[in-house]
């Protein structure tokens, strides 16, 4: 069998894998990326948050992406019936990027992968990891190419960025159930023929159909728009008796007072895809000779668009920690990798949970708005979830719950006041 020797093997060429690869290559590390599919390939996760821009800039992938003229995302709009709440990233608390993109991921990921290849990185498409064996930190990975040929890759370290492929979690039995309730989604792209002129047409929006059910509308600069419904799995399944994803998504669009006119009857560009019980978790995020990054480790929920940001955050961090260790500096993976990632994940987990309890929605739509609260929540939504000067990060555990409780009490009191 053909054998190759590298310092780091990266599994998967999504955002997590490309950021790791580009960073390590820049630092002179001998790497190889293996990717199961041929790009461009369809993948969900089209609304980014500003924190990702830090990673693309540091990995020197920003310029190739910027040249693609993807739709700029300056904030996010949440709709609940007649109520509207818009977050503007330029008004967020603290430092950091105040814009990002909303992107068709097939083109976006392909742009990064092409750039990675252009930099001289060995990225092999249509090459699937079949097995991995560890001897201490050293590993032997068997990959199979499109022609059915097998090859051994010997590596000192593996960064598993295989997304839902979850290569090492499967092979090493690291999967564990997510702490979040089972939710599912159905999505497609449409030719947005009724798109209004100006900002309204390009604004990314989350339309709340019921407390736990929402529709995403993500307009792209190519004239297409991504539409997806998200909700508890039982609800999503109930959208079509025949388990027909097309019928289910059409029924969800009909529930949206705001968007029904724009999207009713519009052609779907591909058969809607269902992603069932999408949340994922792992027992451990690293081990001797490997780290799990992006969706291969943890995925929470699409509601705050944090997936790609966590994928690039963990991809970048794993690359940096490998580099540090390879230079003979000791690394405390538990603290520096798992501990750090878990702190950010914990903040978003609270926001996701409190979204579905309705508490966060109470805060979002409360009038009059409190500009200070909004700025601080906005910073969390931009992905700056490690900034502990922000009370909405530091006290995430109970701040939202307590504020929602006070708002509800106040409004109950006002409702009970006798009218004169
Ligand atoms: C319904 C839904 C909506 C979402 N919406 C958003 C959103 O709006 N914004 C957001 O930021 N995130 C969103 N996400 C999450 C987002 O999809 C992921 O977090 C993100 O794509 C993770 O990137 P990644 O690099 O870890 O994995 P991926 O982008 O999935 O890349 C993994 C790569 O690994 C390859 N691979 C798999 N197995 C193997 C193997 N055996 N050998 C070799 N290669 C392999 C795959 O082909 C793939 O190309 C959403 C997720 C869901 C379920």
């Amino acid at each position: 069998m053909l054998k190759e020797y590298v310092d780091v093997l990266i599994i998967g060429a999504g955002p997590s894998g490309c950021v790791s690869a580009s960073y390590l290559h820049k630092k002179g590390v001998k790497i190889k990326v293996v990717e199961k599919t041929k790009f461009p390939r369809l993948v969900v996760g089209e609304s980014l948050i500003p924190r990702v821009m830090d990673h693309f800039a540091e990995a020197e992938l920003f310029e190739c992406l910027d040249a693609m003229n993807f739709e700029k995302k300056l904030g996010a709009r949440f709709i609940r019936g007649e109520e509207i709440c818009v977050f503007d990233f330029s008004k967020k608390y603290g430092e950091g990027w105040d814009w990002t993109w909303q992107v068709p991921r097939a083109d976006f990921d392909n742009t990064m992968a092409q750039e990675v290849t252009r930099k001289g990185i060995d990225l092999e498409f249509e090459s699937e990891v079949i097995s991995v064996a560890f001897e201490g930190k050293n590993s032997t990975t068997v990959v199979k190419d499109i022609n059915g040929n097998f090859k051994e890759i010997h590596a000192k370290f593996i960064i598993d960025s295989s997304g839902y492929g979850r290569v090492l979690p499967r092979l090493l039995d690291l999967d564990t159930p997510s702490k979040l309730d089972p939710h599912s989604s159905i999505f497609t792209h449409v030719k947005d023929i009724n798109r209004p002129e100006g900002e309204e047409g390009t604004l990314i929006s989350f339309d709340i159909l019921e407390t736990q059910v929402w529709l995403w509308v993500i307009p792209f600069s190519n004239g297409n728009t991504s539409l997806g419904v998200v909700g508890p799995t039982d609800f999503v399944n109930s959208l079509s008796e025949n388990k027909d994803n097309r019928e289910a998504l059409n029924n969800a669009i009909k529930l949206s007072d705001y968007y029904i006119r724009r999207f009713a009857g519009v052609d779907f560009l591909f058969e809607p895809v269902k992603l069932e019980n999408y949340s994922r978790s792992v027992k451990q995020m690293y081990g001797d000779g490997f780290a799990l990054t992006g969706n291969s480790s943890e995925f929470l929920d699409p509601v705050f668009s944090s997936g790609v940001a966590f994928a690039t955050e963990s991809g970048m961090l794993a690359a940096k920690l490998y580099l540090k260790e390879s230079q003979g500096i000791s690394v405390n993976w538990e603290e520096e990798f798992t501990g750090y990632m878990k702190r950010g994940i914990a903040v978003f987990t609270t926001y996701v949970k409190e979204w579905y309890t309705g508490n966060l929605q109470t805060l979002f739509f409360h009038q009059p708005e409190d500009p200070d609260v909004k700025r601080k929540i906005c910073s969390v939504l931009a992905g700056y979830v490690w900034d502990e000067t922000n009370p909405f990060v530091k006290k995430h555990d109970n701040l939202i719950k307590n504020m929602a409780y006070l708002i509800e009490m106040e409004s109950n009191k006002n409702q009970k006041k006798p009218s004169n």
Side-chain angles (χ1 to χ4, degrees), residues 186 229 234-241 247-249 251-252 255:
I186 300 176
V229 61
D234 287 347
F235 179 91
V236 172
N237 287 340
S238 75
L239 283 166
S240 164
E241 269 183 20
E247 181 184 53
L249 190 53
N251 283 340
L255 296 174

Side-chain angles (χ1 to χ4, degrees), residues 197-305:
E197 290 287 314
E199 201 194 20
E200 176 60 32
T202 55
L203 250 184
I204 189 163
S205 300
F206 302 86
D207 186 6
I208 301 165
L209 307 177
E210 290 183 16
T211 303
Q212 295 211 32
V213 182
W214 52 279
L215 186 75
W216 80 59
V217 175
I218 309 176
F220 302 137
S221 57
N222 63 8
N224 299 337
T225 288
S226 174
L227 289 182
V229 61
V230 179
T233 298
D234 287 347
F235 179 91
V236 172
N237 287 340
S238 75
L239 283 166
S240 164
E241 269 183 20
N242 315 314
K243 296 194 168 43
D244 175 346
N245 294 343
R246 178 173 283 269
E247 181 184 53
L249 190 53
N250 272 321
N251 283 340
I253 293 167
K254 283 185 200 146
L255 296 174
S256 167
D257 291 340
Y258 199 93
Y259 282 112
I260 184 160
R261 269 196 301 279
R262 179 160 157 191
F263 296 117
V266 164
D267 273 349
F268 294 160
L269 292 173
F270 54 85
E271 214 40 48
V273 176
K274 186 176 197 178
L275 296 154
E276 216 161 342
N277 301 331
Y278 47 64
S279 303
R280 293 286 182 278
S281 192
V282 279
K283 293 176 202 156
Q284 60 187 78
M285 295 178 71
Y286 71 95
D288 247 7
F290 72 88
L292 310 178
T293 71
N295 267 29
S296 176
S297 57
E298 185 97 24
F299 177 65
L300 299 173
D301 192 275
V303 67
F304 298 121
S305 309

Side-chain angles (χ1 to χ4, degrees), residues 4-7 9 132-141 152-158 288-290:
E4 285 184 28
Y5 294 83
V6 294
D7 293 331
L9 172 66
V132 183
F134 285 93
E135 226 182 286
K137 289 188 174 186
N138 294 322
S139 56
T140 305
T141 298
E152 269 183 18
I153 302 170
H154 295 256
K156 296 177 190 153
F157 197 79
I158 295 179
D288 247 7
F290 72 88

